[in-house]
Structure formats: structure tokens, C-alpha cells
Amino acid sequence: MDYTAWPSFAAVLDRLCTMPRSATGRPYSNVELGQAIGVTHSYVAQLRKGLREPTLATVLAVAEALDVHPAFFVGGRRDRTADLPGRPFAVKLNRLFTLVHPPGQGEMTPEAVAAAVRRRAEESGDTGWTIAPNTIRDLRSGKNSNPKLKHVVALAMAFGAEPAYFFDEELAAQVEEQLETHRVMDSLGVNEVILRATATSPSSEVRTKALLALVRALRPEVEHEEVRRLLERPDHEPPVLDDAGPEVIDDEAAD
């Protein structure tokens, strides 16, 4: 994922401010936008020039005033959705800590996340995207509920997620489902996933999706609906996939 390819917050904001509004037919002035979000016109001017780093609250307020989705400022969707503003930042951040672990290890420490951010920043050639471990702790606990946008992006970088994850509830739900599926599959192990499926704690929906993904990867010739039918049998017995192909249920015999 190339973070350096995104337009900056300042570039997106400046472009939006030069576009005519549907209500008035003319662009927002710095004074008008400042009044709409409760800041001075000089602060808006600095944001548009990239001289000030916006906070999460500023991004949300500007997005509402300009009638765009806050995710639009970090490469996400433009149209606003009914679920805004969504869950608190700390809730989503803690979900990433829970779901994203290094192979064979437990939850990452704030120091490990800060180091991951630093490595990714160095790889991209922009060493400005860094964050301190104590800042991460404050964000996780909710002590700091208004991070700078650069810290939002930095944390997304550390966990390999799109920054829009922190703004877009629909995207966040998709990301968390995918991460949960991967977590389940990792915990089960490829060779034992089918035999151990009924002994795991995740929901049956997550477990079924994990098994479907694994079976399709191991046996691509198996039809999707046939696999789902086998996995959702009332007796919850795991399907048996031998060299002859998927187990076939004899509907007439069952009657």
C-alpha cells in the first residue's frame, strides 16, 4: 500500500473549498468554513496550505461542513453515510490490537507498534509519520480521544490497514471480519482446521466463512454452495474431503 501516493489533507481540503456549494453556488471562504467548524479563518488558511496538522475532531467537523465523508480525506469514500461518526477511535484501535498479531506471538506492545510505524515511515521515505509508545497508550485508553491525523495514518500503517478504517464503519466491519477470519484460521492450523472447527469459540458464522475460505483454497474444484451445504448440516459434523472429492449427502437416503 503506497501511502505517499495519497493527496494530502491540505490538497483535498483546498480543492473542496474551491468547489461551488449546492446551497449558494459559490465556494466556501476561509471565514465561512471557520465559522462553520468553530475555528478562526487564519487556522483554516493554514490547514489549506498544509501549515497545520488537523486533529481527528477537525477532520470530522470539516467533513460535515463540506458534506463529504471524513474518509475522503484519507483516500476513502466521498459520500456521507448514516452511521457517522461511528465508534470511538479507542474502540477501533483496540480491535486492531486484538486482531492483528505477529505470527506465533501475542498482542503487540505499544513499543512494537511504534517501531513498526518507524520502519514503514523509513521505507516510504517520510520519517514524519512517527508516534510515541505513550501516545499509543493514551489513545488505547481513551485518555486522548482526539489524535492528530498523522497519528491516525501512522497507526493504520502499523497494522497494515487503510486509514479510512478509522473513519468508515462499513469498511471497518469488513476489515474486522477479514482479520477475525484470518485469526481463526491461524489459531486452528491449516491441517487441523476441519477437525477442530466445532471446538473453537468464534461464532458459527465466522467459523463457517473461515472453513469455506480454507476448503476453497485447498480444493478449488469444490463448488461453493456444496461446501456451504456440507458445513451447515444439522448434525454439525465436519465434512470429509478425500481424494475422491467432497462428501455427497444422499437426499433420498436421508428421507
Side-chain angles (χ1 to χ4, degrees):
M1 192 177 296
D2 186 4
Y3 299 95
T4 62
W6 299 335
S8 66
F9 173 85
V12 176
L13 174 60
D14 190 61
R15 184 170 76 248
L16 289 172
C17 285
T18 60
M19 298 175 63
R21 288 176 287 165
S22 57
T24 64
R26 57 185 177 80
Y28 254 120
S29 69
N30 291 347
V31 172
E32 290 172 323
L33 183 56
Q35 290 174 342
I37 66 174
V39 299
T40 65
H41 66 87
S42 60
Y43 181 74
V44 174
Q46 290 176 322
L47 287 175
R48 292 179 65 176
K49 294 176 182 178
L51 301 178
R52 295 290 293 269
E53 177 69 27
T55 64
L56 177 63
T58 299
V59 174
L60 296 176
V62 169
E64 183 176 5
L66 297 177
D67 195 29
V68 297
H69 201 288
F72 188 59
F73 289 102
V74 290
R77 70 170 77 205
R78 175 167 181 159
D79 294 337
R80 293 181 67 81
T81 53
D83 55 15
L84 290 170
R87 291 170 293 169
F89 183 84
V91 172
K92 290 184 178 179
L93 178 58
N94 283 317
R95 284 295 288 158
L96 290 180
F97 268 94
T98 299
L99 295 172
V100 181
H101 296 171
Q105 300 180 33
E107 186 177 288
M108 289 192 289
T109 65
E111 286 76 14
V113 173
V117 170
R118 185 169 57 253
R119 286 193 301 271
R120 286 180 175 266
E122 291 171 351
E123 291 170 0
S124 67
D126 188 348
T127 56
W129 298 107
T130 58
I131 187 170
N134 284 338
T135 300
I136 297 174
R137 291 187 179 91
D138 288 345
L139 290 171
R140 290 198 68 183
S141 68
K143 181 179 180 180
N144 178 0
S145 60
N146 190 28
K148 293 181 179 180
L149 181 59
K150 69 176 183 179
H151 287 159
V152 175
V153 174
L155 289 168
M157 290 169 61
F159 289 101
E162 298 178 34
Y165 165 84
F166 287 110
F167 297 97
D168 188 336
E169 282 295 328
E170 182 178 336
L171 174 64
Q174 294 172 358
V175 169
E176 289 170 5
E177 181 181 38
Q178 292 170 358
L179 291 174
E180 176 71 4
T181 298
H182 283 298
R183 187 188 69 81
V184 172
M185 293 177 69
D186 287 342
S187 68
L188 292 173
V190 172
N191 294 327
E192 299 178 350
V193 63
I194 294 177
L195 294 177
R196 295 173 55 191
T198 56
T200 60
S201 58
S203 67
S204 59
E205 180 180 359
V206 170
R207 187 167 62 246
T208 297
K209 289 182 178 180
L211 291 172
L212 283 170
L214 181 59
V215 172
R216 287 200 301 272
L218 295 176
R219 300 295 296 271
E221 73 277 10
V222 178
E223 291 294 329
H224 173 83
E225 290 304 321
E226 176 65 14
V227 175
R228 179 175 291 280
R229 187 163 67 93
L230 291 170
L231 290 174
E232 295 180 347
R233 291 187 304 177
D235 57 2
H236 300 294
E237 293 179 3
V240 177
L241 299 178
D242 55 25
D243 292 338
E247 177 186 5
V248 178
I249 298 176
D250 188 341
D251 292 329
E252 293 183 358
D255 293 336

